[in-house]
Amino acid sequence: MQEFSRLVPTTTQAAARAGAVPQASFIAGGTDLMQLWKNNVQAASLVVDLDRLDLRRISLDGPTLRIGALATMAEVAEHPDVKRRVPAASEALLAAASPQIRNMGTAGGNLLQRTRCGYFRDPGFACNKREPGSGCPAIAGENRELAILGGSGSCIATQPSDFPVPLVAADARVELHGADGQTRTVELEQLYRLPGDTPHIETVLRPGEVITAILVPDAPANRRATYVKVRDRQSYAYALASVAAGIELQGGVVRDVRLAAGGVGTRPWRLDASEATLRGQRLSPALIEQAAARATDGAQPHAKNAFKVTLLRNTVRRALQAVTA
Amino acid sequence: MTAPITRRDLIGTSAAAAALPMPSLADAPAPAAPAAPAVAALTINGQVHRVAIDQRTSLLDALREHIGLTGTKKGCDHGSCGACTVHVDNKRVLACLVLAHRVEGRAVTTIEGLAQGDTLHPMQAAFLAHDGYQCGYCTPGQIMSAVSLVEEGHTQSEAEIAEWMSGNLCRCGAYTNIRAAIQDAARAKRA
Ligand SMILES: Cc1cc2nc3c(=O)[nH]c(=O)nc-3n(C[C@H](O)[C@H](O)[C@H](O)COP(=O)(O)OP(=O)(O)OC[C@H]3O[C@@H](n4cnc5c(N)ncnc54)[C@H](O)[C@@H]3O)c2cc1C
Ligand code: SF4
Ligand code: FES
Ligand code: FES
């Protein structure tokens, strides 16, 4: 692990300024960073500790649910307003990591967790994401866990976090505070960049930009929602495929529907074609079947992860059955 | 190991730094010099320990290597096994993923802090009574996790206990007895 010094700013503005320095890194829960640092996948010479910032609160701001970026995963999962407004986000967090890690990891940190691709996590291998231009051994190698949607010839790594999946489905936005003192909000889905030929640039965050909050709009389809996660073992594992499904029905007709998938895409993947299949139609098992089939539109399976095509369709079907039951 | 970097280096004139818009650090507090180990005052089991440790030191290494509390075990050192579970401000966390300097001013409890003199904590006694271990390596982490689990109230069924103990692995596979011990201790606490 590289040596670093640590700053503990008390205002978001001071943190943003300090974080804009090259080689600086924010630390929130530290649960992903500690792994990355110990394995020399990532290094920082200045660690900007977000611990003292007043960004822990979860509150209602009229129709908007505001989740402070530094609230822990456990705090978010158990908050009554989160459970009422976006129950799928609470379920996703409770299906993520372990109770100990959920007491440490934060809402903002989970959004920015880096890929679990084994080549990326081991500096003994080439990896375009870790070392731009060095190549991607995963495409012809161990790609069982990797993406079937959104990949490129440079990288097929999945964004592995559970929390952003229901949030992307819920049309959440993130609030950002820049080093120049300006704040802006960005659609969460648009926070993530597709790999293209620059897989090392993962988000649209500018140097020093701090995520201050996650903003979730209120909608009937966000309130009636669920999260289904499929893993190799029953608990304490990353998703092979996961689906957040939210629905609003009126007299058996789909008025609104939101679907997003995790574990299959290079970012949390909104399932637009499946939603379009359902919207305005009378719900039936056949319609759910059609929607599930459209989930893999554009999928590019690789030698070891072709099973995810079937798995994703089945997970969409399961999630839709569960949320409409 | 790369050369230590000072605050002046970061604000200063390096080519890499010049390429980005450089913010002023005027309103940011000065970081401690990275190379010299800094003293951290850590409150462990109610007692303050002053240790000179590098910023990189994990709480796990601070406990084991600097303070001499070796009850907390290192299994994976990567957050995967739960052997290093301790409490910080009464919440269970993984000591291998905590930077020791970050818990200054917080209350850390380790397995050594559970018993009252010669009287075992009820969870320790329950693990003994149920043989909730074989080799014992995962046991301190299991017990620290189990104490929190009971506090959190996730002990309604064996399945619930299994789910909420899933962050603690046992290579010996003592899970059946571990769950029995926890159920017993939880029942005794409710009674
Ligand atoms: C064994 C194990 C199993 C796991 N299983 C799962 C799982 O099943 N599902 C899952 O979703 N996750 C899982 N995780 C990952 C865990 O949930 C993440 O590590 C955690 O959410 C990261 O949050 P953090 O606050 O600790 O982030 P940190 O490690 O502190 O930071 C992560 C990144 O985010 C940046 N950052 C953090 N906060 C901000 C902010 N406010 N503004 C700007 N940048 C910021 C940091 O600079 C860093 O680059 C697992 C982890 C482990 C160790
Ligand atoms: S898939 Fe991406 S992260 Fe994995 S080896 Fe290829 S470039 Fe690296
Ligand atoms: S040693 Fe910390 S979780 Fe394994
Ligand atoms: S008792 Fe041996 S690892 Fe659990």
Side-chain angles (χ1 to χ4, degrees), chain B residues 96-131:
Chain B
C96 70
L97 296 184
V98 174
L99 288 174
H101 276 278
R102 299 188 82 198
V103 297
E104 265 198 303
R106 299 181 192 272
V108 178
T109 309
T110 69
I111 188 75
E112 289 92 345
L114 282 191
Q116 305 280 329
D118 284 341
T119 310
L120 292 181
H121 184 283
M123 190 62 76
Q124 291 174 303
F127 268 67
L128 262 183
H130 286 271
D131 268 336

Side-chain angles (χ1 to χ4, degrees), chain B residues 50-70:
Chain B
R50 298 184 161 277
V51 279
I53 46 173
D54 187 293
Q55 284 289 344
R56 293 169 293 183
T57 314
S58 69
L59 175 58
L60 178 59
D61 285 345
L63 289 169
R64 293 181 56 86
E65 312 294 335
H66 297 268
I67 299 173
L69 291 172
T70 53

Side-chain angles (χ1 to χ4, degrees), chain A residues 115 117 119-120 126-130 135-138 146 154-157 199:
Chain A
T115 185
C117 172
Y119 300 106
F120 170 76
C127 166
N128 285 328
K129 194 185 270 303
R130 181 167 29 74
C136 172
L146 303 187
S154 299
C155 179
I156 55 168

Side-chain angles (χ1 to χ4, degrees), chain A residues 1 7 28 38 49 51 100 236, chain B residues 29 56 77 79 96 102 106:
Chain A
M1 199 193 291
L7 274 175
K38 286 184 191 196
D49 193 330
D51 201 43
Q100 290 97 313
Y236 200 21
Chain B
R56 293 169 293 183
D77 209 24
C96 70
R102 299 188 82 198
R106 299 181 192 272

